[in-house]
Amino acid sequence: SHLCSSRVVPVRVVRALLALSTAARLHRPDDPAHNGCIASAYRDFVMPGTAPLTPRVRRLSKADSAPGSPPTTARRRRSSCGGASVAAAVSTSGTVATAVTATATGPRSPSKGSGETPTEKPPQLPKLSGLESCAPDEVGLDAKSLEDHRLRNRWQSSLGILPGLAECVIAGDRVAYVDLMGSADVERGTPVRSSTLFRCFSMTKPITAVAVMRLVEDKKVALEDPVSKYIPSFQITKVVKPESAEEWGITAQSHDHLEPMQTQITLRHLLTHTSGLAYGPDRASPSEPLKASNAAEGSYIGLVEAVDSGKIQTLEDFCDALAGLPLRFQPGTQWMYSHGVDVAGRVIEVVSGRPLDAFLREEVFQPLGMTRTTFFVGRDRARDLAAMYLAEKEDVVDEENLGALCRLKRVDGTLPEESRWCGRNKRVLAGGGIMGSCGGGLVSCLHDTARFVTMLANGGKMQSGRHLLQHSTVRTLWRGWVALSSV
């Protein structure tokens, strides 16, 4: 169902990627080379018409909570909607599994065993402001492999899979590779730049997690604190009985299918998606029908519609409404991708006394020099926001002479000013990356994301030499909190 295959090359690097990818999954979660990533998340895009994926749930054992090797790359399929995606990876030892697409550049892919290599003179690589550049071989990287990766990106673009991307490879404190390719806005011919704003979606999560750890360092919260200490509405949340987990239509009034919480939800549960919360269905735009693919999504349809319609306008109201829905399992017993980090964002608001966007701006973005990262794009900066596209598979594909495999359908407005991320509208601040069916999360650029992941790779140290987080705190993040083979 994915048009982009991949192979994994372990290198000593921190890789920051913001891409207008629409049908590509740039990792293989079953590949042992991915072991070693400590803070990574990729947004997956599935071609329209493929079978929906059920929530990835696994019952946890005692071994899952024991410190061990850092978890493998996290992944999450939210929708077939393309547009911006963000990926960042960091490792304890400096080793990260970097995805390199195993396709070729040009109108045709090389034949198997032919040994053909795409040839194109490498361009003068652009520089990222404030970050020192170097040649790949100066930091132990293979320049030929990186150039091969760059050319293969262009081949994917020729197939209609990828309208554009911005990516870089950072080793230590130096940028060894940068690629700015294609169009941020195809209709207007706007090129991708290092300052182009992309929708972060679930790559908002690690930023919110870092903000939580800032509060942990200040001893204002503890990871084992019950969420109900800060959001009282979670005190009496009910739980779906195991035998009713696949039943549709369960609400807080479905008493025969519910049981009390055996353990209170903690902040750690929120950050590791083991709280029992879930996600509702999503879609490319509000004009499309809202369809749930499983019972967990079905139980959230009312909440999703309330956000989309503007009935719920604040993170406080959202969390109170969420607490009124039954948990899908007892906290700490299973794993399910969820609104947990959104709830953690509300905890930040309660503890700090500041809105989530203000706290992130003052405690994370400003110290790191992430000057363009925000929840809302002002009208004066609307043209910096990349367009978002849905990749629709072509009905007929000539396999002998590969042409375009996909056609791109623009969603989220026909003009940048019409985007749901433009202007401070009635949108709930989503520290988890998606709110409602088709909105939420931060927007950021390659320059800002590079600064963020470099800080994590350097044990919390910023370019100024000061620490955003203490090294011991970052080491805590490097541990495998939930050692699941599926994440």
Side-chain angles (χ1 to χ4, degrees):
S1 62
H2 297 273
L3 296 182
C4 175
S5 59
S6 66
R7 60 187 170 86
V8 178
V9 180
V11 294
R12 291 190 173 278
V13 66
V14 177
R15 184 171 186 265
L17 165 67
L18 287 86
L20 282 165
S21 64
T22 53
R25 181 167 62 187
L26 301 181
H27 66 288
R28 287 200 303 243
D30 57 339
D31 194 316
H34 280 85
N35 293 327
C37 291
I38 60 139
S40 63
Y42 291 83
R43 179 169 172 80
D44 283 351
F45 297 96
V46 180
M47 288 305 301
T50 59
L53 301 179
T54 56
R56 296 188 302 282
V57 181
R58 174 179 168 182
R59 191 168 301 279
L60 305 184
S61 65
K62 291 182 179 179
D64 291 325
S65 60
S69 300
T72 54
T73 302
R75 67 187 181 98
R76 158 87 171 135
R77 197 276 298 177
R78 285 294 299 150
S79 75
S80 59
C81 178
S85 70
V86 185
V90 189
S91 80
T92 52
S93 63
T95 300
V96 160
T98 299
V100 179
T101 54
T103 50
T105 188
R108 298 190 58 177
S109 61
S111 58
K112 293 182 179 180
S114 67
E116 295 180 28
T117 303
T119 59
E120 180 181 323
K121 185 178 180 180
Q124 184 68 34
L125 296 182
K127 294 185 177 181
L128 296 181
S129 176
L131 297 172
E132 182 183 350
S133 299
C134 68
D137 56 6
E138 293 181 39
V139 287
L141 302 182
D142 185 352
K144 184 177 179 180
S145 293
L146 290 172
E147 176 61 12
D148 176 69
H149 170 62
R150 186 186 70 83
L151 296 178
R152 293 172 191 272
N153 280 341
R154 278 146 184 78
W155 184 68
Q156 291 182 42
S157 178
S158 73
L159 299 181
I161 300 171
L162 207 60
L165 64 79
E167 65 179 355
C168 70
V169 176
I170 301 172
D173 290 320
R174 296 193 288 174
V175 179
Y177 171 85
V178 179
D179 190 15
L180 305 175
M181 183 199 78
S183 299
D185 190 318
V186 174
E187 291 77 9
R188 287 159 183 78
T190 306
V192 171
R193 303 181 176 91
S194 62
S195 58
T196 297
L197 296 174
F198 296 83
R199 296 158 187 80
C200 294
F201 291 110
S202 285
M203 277 309 298
T204 304
K205 288 181 172 68
I207 294 175
T208 303
V210 164
V212 170
M213 298 310 291
R214 293 270 286 172
L215 294 176
V216 170
E217 282 193 344
D218 291 341
K219 301 189 184 304
K220 294 181 179 179
V221 300
L223 292 174
E224 308 309 325
D225 283 348
V227 175
S228 58
K229 176 180 178 180
Y230 309 104
I231 309 175
S233 53
F234 278 100
Q235 180 70 43
I236 56 174
T237 300
K238 299 295 183 180
V239 182
V240 176
K241 293 179 179 179
E243 60 269 24
S244 301
E246 302 303 319
E247 294 285 338
W248 286 69
I250 295 178
T251 68
Q253 286 70 49
S254 304
H255 302 296
D256 292 342
H257 297 282
L258 304 177
E259 61 186 13
M261 278 192 297
Q262 297 173 4
T263 304
Q264 287 285 312
I265 302 172
T266 66
L267 283 177
R268 190 183 296 274
H269 290 148
L270 296 179
L271 296 179
T272 55
H273 302 293
T274 58
S275 63
L277 297 171
Y279 268 121
D282 57 14
R283 53 190 170 181
S285 70
S287 62
E288 295 184 359
L290 191 61
K291 297 179 181 179
S293 60
N294 53 71
E297 287 189 357
S299 67
Y300 280 59
I301 283 184
L303 179 64
V304 169
E305 290 176 336
V307 173
D308 284 350
S309 66
K311 182 178 179 181
I312 292 178
Q313 300 184 15
T314 67
L315 187 53
E316 178 182 7
D317 291 343
F318 173 80
C319 288
D320 287 341
L322 184 63
L325 300 176
L327 301 178
R328 303 310 301 178
F329 50 82
Q330 290 289 343
T333 62
Q334 298 181 41
W335 185 96
M336 182 183 287
Y337 208 58
S338 72
H339 278 296
V341 184
D342 293 305
V343 179
R346 174 57 186 161
V347 172
I348 290 173
E349 291 189 332
V350 172
V351 173
S352 69
R354 287 176 274 178
L356 180 60
D357 57 346
F359 186 89
L360 294 181
R361 182 175 61 252
E362 296 164 9
E363 302 295 333
V364 180
F365 302 151
Q366 289 179 353
L368 283 172
M370 298 171 64
T371 59
R372 300 177 68 84
T373 304
T374 180
F375 281 104
F376 306 100
V377 179
R379 298 280 174 184
D380 58 329
R381 294 173 58 194
R383 298 286 167 164
D384 293 336
L385 181 64
M388 186 163 69
Y389 298 93
L390 182 71
E392 296 182 327
K393 189 174 181 180
E394 292 284 5
D395 296 330
V396 179
V397 177
D398 181 357
E399 295 183 358
E400 290 299 319
N401 185 21
L402 284 177
L405 292 177
C406 302
R407 55 180 175 269
L408 299 176
K409 175 184 176 182
R410 185 168 183 149
V411 294
D412 192 34
T414 58
L415 298 172
E417 293 81 3
E418 296 174 358
S419 169
R420 291 183 294 278
W421 281 261
C422 186
R424 177 121 195 176
N425 48 28
K426 297 177 180 178
R427 193 159 65 86
V428 181
L429 299 176
I434 189 166
M435 186 62 62
S437 65
C438 51
L442 293 163
V443 298
S444 189
C445 62
L446 181 65
H447 170 271
D448 285 9
T449 303
R451 285 175 175 264
F452 178 76
V453 297
T454 301
M455 176 275 297
L456 287 176
N458 290 336
K461 190 168 82 170
M462 300 180 287
Q463 287 182 300
S464 64
R466 299 176 58 190
H467 277 76
L468 186 75
L469 292 175
Q470 295 302 313
H471 190 266
S472 59
T473 301
V474 177
R475 287 183 62 84
T476 298
L477 296 176
W478 289 349
R479 295 173 182 164
W481 288 7
V482 180
L484 296 176
S485 60
S486 59
V487 298

